[in-house]
Amino acid sequence: MISIFVMYSTDRSDALSHTISCLKDMKLYDKCQKTLVVDGKIDRIPSDWQAIQIPRNSNGFCWGRMWDAGVYSARYEKIVYLDSDRLMPENYLNIVNEKIDDDVFIFTSKHFLMLEALPIQTCKDLLKMPEIETSLIMPNYIGRFKYEVRHQFPFHGPGKNVMSGSVAFNKKTYNKLGGVDHWYCGHGAFADSDFHMQASVAGCNFIDLEIPELHYPHKKIDNNTILNEKKLYYMGLDNFIYYCKKWNLPMKLADGLAERCGESRPSKYVDNRLKEIMAISKEF
């Protein structure tokens, strides 16, 4: 059977309700182990779920610690990871249960970001559509969704990939890879990019189900503060600077992100920030 772990923070309460509602429609749901991996305070534990609270480090919530908690608490070899804002079709668990194998990660490239909240039944109806792309160009859905492809093969740069938000695999493969790097923290991304690259280098295969996935909208809140676009850019820049250093990439790649943050001297900012980041990384 399957162990499901869902990463959750309190800014995603409505999204979590919809994620679990979709899961409950799946035939294998009742037979699965279900774990909520929580950043910060546990404000709810859904019926027949268990919850694990993950302490923060000095840089905020840690992706690697949350992944580790989900995987190492799993009673079953087969594992499904979901963010608490991902809505999947009702045949999802059946499909991944048949395909999970050693050295394999199973995802879907058909990722649709919802630009506004919609009733859960509307979302479920869309997920049942044989050609969701055709449905989303109907007048009542235009402007409500944005297609953001999840890339099957890794690349050095920002973007959604196999590990972004939902993926199925087995515990043996995760242990073989050594898990997700604990350095990546906060909403700055690149933990998924790093793990995707790590899996690729190790020779893993990535299976694209090409089924729809809806990404439910929510505000990003940290320490009771809504994170604006600029703050998110800086979080991403820190993570990308570390990523470039780890994978021996030219730091010039990070200059573009620094300029996007509004830095007038991006190269100097990246050089100085790299020194600070490498000092911090010694703590991990």
Side-chain angles (χ1 to χ4, degrees):
M1 201 40 61
I2 299 173
S3 291
I4 303 170
F5 75 91
V6 172
M7 288 191 191
Y8 172 69
S9 56
T10 55
D11 57 355
R12 305 181 182 195
S13 182
D14 290 342
L16 175 64
S17 296
H18 292 334
T19 295
I20 292 177
S21 179
C22 287
L23 285 170
K24 285 183 175 180
D25 290 342
M26 302 180 192
K27 291 182 179 180
L28 297 180
Y29 175 82
D30 290 332
K31 298 179 181 179
C32 293
Q33 175 193 8
K34 299 170 282 287
T35 303
L36 203 62
V37 180
V38 184
D39 163 44
K41 183 180 179 181
I42 298 176
D43 65 338
R44 61 188 298 191
I45 303 178
S47 175
D48 75 349
W49 285 66
Q50 63 183 6
I52 302 174
Q53 183 175 354
I54 309 302
R56 289 188 165 202
N57 60 30
S58 58
N59 288 331
F61 70 87
C62 173
W63 285 103
R65 289 180 181 177
M66 297 184 79
W67 272 74
D68 284 355
V71 173
Y72 298 138
S73 65
R75 296 196 302 266
Y76 303 119
E77 181 66 16
K78 296 179 179 181
I79 296 174
V80 165
Y81 148 63
L82 293 171
D83 271 351
S84 53
D85 54 9
R86 301 306 167 97
L87 314 184
M88 309 300 289
E90 61 184 18
N91 61 345
Y92 174 67
L93 288 179
N94 288 77
I95 296 174
V96 298
N97 186 50
E98 294 176 357
K99 294 184 177 295
I100 294 174
D101 203 350
D102 292 349
D103 302 323
V104 166
F105 287 88
I106 302 162
F107 81 113
T108 179
S109 59
K110 289 190 175 183
H111 168 268
F112 298 90
L113 176 65
M114 298 173 60
L115 302 180
E116 61 181 79
L118 294 173
I120 182 58
Q121 191 56 52
T122 300
C123 297
K124 290 180 179 182
D125 290 343
L126 282 169
L127 289 169
K128 292 177 181 177
M129 298 292 183
E131 295 293 338
I132 190 172
E133 297 90 338
T134 302
S135 300
L136 294 182
I137 62 173
M138 295 171 62
N140 51 325
Y141 293 126
I142 289 177
R144 293 184 167 186
F145 293 86
K146 179 183 179 183
Y147 175 59
E148 294 182 339
V149 65
R150 290 175 59 192
H151 297 278
Q152 184 173 14
F153 302 105
F155 60 95
H156 298 305
K160 298 191 182 300
N161 55 68
V162 169
M163 310 300 179
S164 303
S166 68
V167 67
F169 54 97
N170 67 23
K171 188 184 293 188
K172 178 181 176 181
T173 300
Y174 188 84
N175 289 334
K176 174 183 174 181
L177 294 175
V180 177
D181 191 325
H182 281 207
W183 193 91
Y184 297 97
C185 296
H187 293 276
F190 291 102
D192 52 356
S193 302
D194 184 282
F195 192 46
H196 191 193
M197 187 66 68
Q198 187 177 331
S200 179
V201 170
C204 292
N205 296 312
F206 309 115
I207 297 176
D208 185 0
L209 300 179
E210 298 186 85
I211 60 174
E213 169 189 66
L214 301 184
H215 189 162
Y216 197 84
H218 59 85
K219 294 179 180 178
K220 291 185 177 180
I221 300 175
D222 193 60
N223 292 324
N224 298 316
T225 300
I226 297 175
L227 300 175
N228 59 32
E229 192 174 67
K230 185 173 182 179
K231 179 65 174 176
L232 291 171
Y233 281 160
Y234 272 106
M235 288 181 171
L237 176 57
D238 274 1
N239 282 352
F240 191 51
I241 290 171
Y242 173 81
Y243 178 93
C244 288
K245 179 67 175 178
K246 176 178 178 177
W247 291 99
N248 198 30
L249 303 175
M251 278 298 154
K252 284 292 182 183
L253 292 175
D255 290 354
L257 288 184
E259 188 172 358
R260 190 178 182 184
C261 291
E263 293 294 331
S264 59
R265 302 176 66 187
S267 295
K268 184 175 179 59
Y269 176 86
V270 169
D271 288 343
N272 290 337
R273 190 62 186 139
L274 174 61
K275 295 174 184 177
E276 297 170 354
I277 286 171
M278 295 315 298
I280 294 171
S281 68
K282 293 178 181 179
E283 301 175 8
F284 294 86

